[in-house]
Amino acid sequence: MHKSSFFAEVNKMFDHAAKYTEHDSGLLEQIKSCNSVYHLSFPLVRDNGEIDVIHAYRAEHSQHMQPTKGGIRYAPMVNADEVMALAALMSYKCAIVDVPYGGAKGGICIDRNKYSQSELERITRRYTFELAKKNFIGPGIDVPAPDYGTSSVEMSWIFDTYRSVTDNPLDALACVTGKPVGAGGVRGRIEATGRGVFFGIREACSIEEDMHALGLSSGIEGKRVIIQGLGNVGYHTALYLERAGAIIVGIAEYDGGLYNSKGLILNEIVDHRKETKSILNFPGATNVKNSATLLEMECDILVPAALENQIRSDNADRIQAKIVAEASNGPVTSAAGQSMTERGILIIPDVYLNAGGVTVSYFEWLRNLSHVRHGRISRRREAHNAVNILKTVQALVGKNFDDQVLSDIESGSSFGASEADLVDSGLEDTMVSAYHEIHTEAHSHDVDLRTGAFISAIDKIALGYSRGGIFP
Ligand code: NAD
């Protein structure tokens, strides 16, 4: 498979959108360029005594806002070009959803399945130590998060290592997000990206005029969905879509896929994978040997949620979905995107759609810096206010409410927003408002949503540069 430069692909999308703005060409060049890339290598003494050389990267694309922010992925194909592209996408993504960070991304070139848990811990800790030595990590410098192949476990090792080397232990928790709840994490971060993808798809499907143009009815209910990649993002996207009434007809994994036009029950597939180590051979579903074929099968919404470069010029013409919801980063090349848009397919772009992760990471970072759980100070007060209002209404209408209702509200058990509620409502609000912003931008320039999203990002970053006094 021919693989073009991912960073060049992102820059093509940027250049296309930049034509619709009026910024100075030098400023556009600065916004586009990746400010720093650190390639490091270090030895790992394996459990059997052999030595492996581990290659790793961290790219900081833009410091127009600080800290920079972006995930860390563990995958054998990680390289400088990939982390630069992903860091650039992070800068644009943060701007689109108004999260005050520059973009960054890191990665370690390993197939995590080939290493033991203690080897993974040593790799993660050494990577963190090397980043700290070069000032590539810190609550106000650069804040990693989970990405492909990593989870809250690696994030807690990163925090613990950083804490032991920093001279500012008070704020050390804010050096990384996506930590476990109970170790500085925020409720809702694990599912945040998939939950955000769901909100974005739901918003797109709620616009009757757009759905009518695709020959679809509005709403999620009854829409047939294929998901590629049943990891963190893919699973949670599928879960919320299924709960909203969508029918999951296909799931693709690295070793093959499943299809059932009548629908697959997500958690049954997950249980089957736990038992057999694969989604394949699920009773009642058809195995699809080559998982890439599933992308081309009949559905309303296709959700790539694995890796980049999945829909290219060589398979774009065979995509039958009416909506392609880019849950992963860079799943559609610029040429494939153009040809699918010309065919009338609605692409909801990654640079907006998977921003739920960084949005909730922002809430976690704020929590860590403020040293207080969201809602802790105000929750009981809100409950008292509600009881006082009800008592006033009671006196005015001369009718008593059930004592149990009042005491439940007073105890806070049925009133007052919990941290999980606040995080979820903040995420929903962010995804809904940003969708309408990029939609309006796209319509006003008569361009696709991706170009609308990039125009919005470029304008905001340009403003960030001028506010920072870099370009007065
Ligand atoms: P993950 O490691 O949890 O899951 C990825 C899944 O894709 C795995 O189950 C893997 O087996 C599967 N997969 C790999 N190759 C495949 C193939 N060729 N066909 C089908 N399935 C395949 O990773 P994730 O965190 O869910 O990330 C997925 C994508 O979402 C990445 O592009 C990542 O950059 C992006 N993303 C993740 C987050 C986050 O919070 N985790 C945030 C924003 C964007």
Side-chain angles (χ1 to χ4, degrees):
M1 176 177 61
H2 170 70
K3 198 164 189 252
S4 61
S5 155
F6 186 9
F7 190 41
E9 282 292 316
V10 174
N11 285 341
K12 266 191 223 165
M13 296 167 192
F14 179 100
D15 290 340
H16 178 62
K19 286 191 236 143
Y20 295 91
T21 71
E22 287 172 357
H23 303 292
D24 179 273
S25 60
L27 173 56
L28 289 169
E29 200 52 40
Q30 170 55 48
I31 295 174
K32 199 166 67 163
S33 59
C34 184
N35 290 355
S36 4
V37 192
Y38 179 28
H39 174 192
L40 55 152
S41 52
F42 50 83
L44 167 78
V45 181
R46 299 205 59 171
D47 294 345
N48 64 7
E50 284 173 11
I51 295 173
D52 268 13
V53 177
I54 305 292
H55 290 274
Y57 297 87
R58 185 74 186 169
E60 292 174 354
H61 171 259
S62 174
Q63 275 94 358
H64 70 285
M65 294 262 183
Q66 279 179 301
T68 52
K69 183 100 187 69
I72 292 181
R73 61 169 54 175
Y74 288 0
M77 75 295 267
V78 165
N79 57 61
D81 179 76
E82 183 183 72
V83 289
M84 283 159 72
L86 292 165
L89 282 174
M90 280 303 296
S91 291
Y92 309 138
K93 193 176 301 179
C94 291
I96 288 163
V97 292
D98 294 320
V99 166
Y101 297 130
K105 202 77 172 194
I108 304 186
C109 311
I110 50 167
D111 175 351
R112 62 170 300 135
N113 299 318
K114 296 192 174 140
Y115 293 89
S116 70
Q117 186 79 346
S118 83
E119 287 171 337
L120 288 171
E121 178 170 352
R122 293 204 297 281
I123 293 171
T124 307
R125 287 183 180 279
R126 178 69 186 262
Y127 175 65
T128 311
F129 179 72
E130 295 295 334
L131 292 183
K133 262 195 347 197
K134 298 277 186 204
N135 228 9
F136 264 77
I137 185 170
I141 299 169
D142 187 355
V143 181
D147 193 74
Y148 184 93
T150 56
S151 69
S152 58
V153 176
E154 288 77 18
M155 301 309 117
S156 61
W157 291 331
I158 291 175
F159 158 62
D160 190 50
T161 310
Y162 179 80
R163 176 176 54 175
S164 65
V165 297
T166 181
D167 53 9
N168 178 15
L170 184 65
D171 288 334
L173 263 181
C175 79
V176 63
T177 60
K179 300 177 292 294
V181 174
V186 79
R187 284 165 186 78
R189 174 60 185 89
I190 290 177
E191 57 271 42
T193 306
R195 182 100 176 120
V197 171
F198 162 72
F199 285 137
I201 296 175
R202 190 193 66 184
E203 219 42 41
C205 290
S206 72
I207 301 179
E208 216 160 305
E209 201 186 327
D210 292 354
M211 290 304 107
H212 184 72
L214 297 170
L216 295 171
S217 57
S218 59
I220 297 280
E221 182 108 37
K223 296 243 167 8
R224 287 155 318 121
V225 178
I226 293 178
I227 304 271
Q228 184 202 34
L230 200 61
N232 177 322
V233 178
Y235 168 73
H236 288 105
T237 302
L239 182 73
Y240 295 113
L241 285 172
E242 188 180 72
R243 282 188 189 164
I247 304 162
I248 311 295
V249 293
I251 300 177
E253 253 299 327
Y254 71 97
D255 56 348
L258 290 178
Y259 190 84
N260 184 343
S261 60
K262 294 200 179 84
L264 301 158
I265 309 293
L266 182 67
N267 281 331
E268 288 182 3
I269 310 292
V270 171
D271 289 344
H272 169 77
R273 177 167 67 176
K274 266 187 210 141
E275 265 170 45
T276 66
K277 306 280 173 244
S278 170
I279 63 166
L280 298 178
N281 303 318
F282 183 76
T286 309
N287 277 343
V288 180
K289 227 176 168 184
N290 177 358
S291 78
T293 319
L294 256 167
L295 300 173
E296 302 164 14
M297 294 178 82
E298 219 262 313
C299 66
D300 298 317
I301 307 175
L302 173 64
V303 184
L307 284 168
E308 60 265 22
N309 207 28
Q310 299 300 302
I311 304 177
R312 308 165 301 272
S313 299
D314 58 317
N315 61 354
D317 288 351
R318 297 194 295 274
I319 301 297
Q320 298 189 58
K322 304 208 167 73
I323 300 172
V324 174
E326 296 184 334
S328 54
N329 282 308
V332 177
T333 64
S334 56
Q338 205 178 328
S339 80
M340 288 197 293
T341 304
E342 280 162 15
R343 285 206 289 128
I345 296 173
L346 175 69
I347 301 177
I348 315 176
D350 54 358
V351 72
Y352 153 73
L353 193 62
N354 65 32
V358 73
T359 302
V360 174
S361 276
Y362 172 48
F363 301 153
E364 179 176 334
W365 181 76
L366 290 175
R367 179 197 172 163
N368 296 153
L369 290 175
S370 65
H371 301 274
V372 63
R373 186 182 70 236
H374 296 298
R376 177 173 171 181
I377 293 173
S378 58
R379 185 173 183 191
R380 206 46 74 117
R381 182 72 234 153
E382 284 175 31
H384 287 318
N385 284 346
V387 169
N388 287 340
I389 292 168
L390 284 183
K391 283 185 177 160
T392 310
V393 172
Q394 223 170 236
L396 283 173
V397 300
K399 182 175 179 291
N400 284 347
F401 293 105
D402 194 330
D403 280 351
Q404 188 60 45
V405 172
L406 291 177
S407 85
D408 277 357
I409 293 174
E410 194 134 43
S411 72
S413 60
S414 65
F415 200 86
S418 67
E419 180 172 77
D421 296 334
L422 289 169
V423 164
D424 198 53
S425 79
L427 173 61
E428 181 173 8
D429 184 52
T430 301
M431 295 306 294
V432 170
S433 335
Y435 188 80
H436 290 283
E437 209 170 295
I438 64 169
H439 190 266
T440 305
E441 200 73 68
H443 273 238
S444 69
H445 291 93
D446 195 19
V447 292
D448 60 358
L449 279 179
R450 190 190 315 280
T451 309
F454 269 84
I455 295 171
S456 168
I458 293 169
D459 285 343
K460 288 181 189 176
I461 296 176
L463 194 66
Y465 269 111
S466 60
R467 279 205 188 124
I470 298 163
F471 295 104

